[in-house]
Amino acid sequence: MLGLLGFYDELDTRSGQPNGSIRDAVRSVCEPDEANLVAYLDAGHVLIDVMEGGHDVITGSAHRHSPGCSSLVTDGTWLWRQDFPHYVETHHVSLPDAFLEHVRSLNYQIPTVTVAQFAPHYDETMPLVGWASAIPWRSTATTLVPEPRAVTSKAQFDAAILAQDRNRPYGSWGKRRKPRKA
């Protein structure tokens, strides 16, 4: 079975998720190598790409992984949601020691995954995260090779949101305006 990261109660409609409550995982201090850990999580192999929009379940705001937030990503040993790097980067959620050792031993580089070895772990893990319909593994690929993905950084996302807010002449589009005088 794959190790699970970021499957919190608040991120799903079903309670009893494998990682419990995200509020219990939030920390005030980050790992010393957090930037490298976030880059590793951002670079994982996308297994299931979901077209949806989400928000930060702690602050309620949009974030850089809002589009496709519950897409599933892996390194062949661990499985996480696409928005998990946001929670590591922004709220410093705790990471299992086994994951930290694994990533550091790989020097923060996503490995190539041999599908024949990976597929059985995928098949047994998917029902645990609510994706029973995704099994069995159907890919014809023999390996998953890390490929560069364009991922917006937190700084780029924050700058774009700030610029967007400046371009709204009358404030937020969601804010009600006064009725016009007739």
Side-chain angles (χ1 to χ4, degrees):
M1 186 167 85
L2 299 170
L4 300 174
L5 301 168
F7 293 94
Y8 298 111
D9 290 338
E10 294 85 354
L11 301 175
D12 200 316
T13 56
R14 300 171 299 123
S15 62
Q17 289 298 301
N19 299 124
S21 173
I22 194 169
R23 286 166 175 49
D24 296 336
V26 171
R27 301 178 327 162
S28 58
V29 179
C30 67
E31 290 290 333
D33 55 350
E34 183 178 84
N36 290 333
L37 295 166
V38 169
Y40 181 88
L41 292 165
D42 278 340
H45 305 284
V46 177
L47 296 177
I48 297 176
D49 199 5
V50 179
M51 292 181 64
E52 67 175 342
H55 61 280
D56 184 311
V57 296
I58 296 171
T59 65
S61 61
H63 55 81
R64 68 189 184 98
H65 291 297
S66 289
C69 57
S70 65
S71 298
L72 298 181
V73 182
T74 191
D75 65 358
T77 304
W78 293 86
L79 180 73
W80 58 91
R81 290 171 46 106
Q82 185 168 296
D83 60 353
F84 185 61
H86 162 75
Y87 293 102
V88 172
E89 177 177 56
T90 305
H91 303 292
H92 316 299
V93 296
S94 57
L95 296 165
D97 289 336
F99 174 76
L100 293 171
E101 290 172 25
H102 171 72
V103 173
R104 290 170 180 154
S105 74
L106 294 169
N107 199 29
Y108 309 99
Q109 299 298 311
I110 292 288
T112 296
V113 174
T114 304
V115 171
Q117 295 169 344
F118 171 73
H121 300 295
Y122 170 88
D123 292 346
E124 69 181 348
T125 304
M126 296 313 285
L128 299 176
V129 296
W131 286 85
S133 63
I135 61 171
W137 179 265
R138 292 187 175 97
S139 175
T140 57
T142 57
T143 58
L144 301 176
V145 179
E147 296 177 11
R149 283 194 295 140
V151 178
T152 304
S153 72
K154 184 176 185 328
Q156 290 169 323
F157 179 81
D158 292 344
I161 292 297
L162 185 61
Q164 183 181 29
D165 288 345
R166 276 191 299 242
N167 289 334
R168 293 181 177 164
Y170 300 105
S172 170
W173 294 117
K175 195 162 111 180
R176 296 190 69 197
R177 293 176 38 179
K178 290 184 201 176
R180 292 184 179 175
K181 293 182 181 178

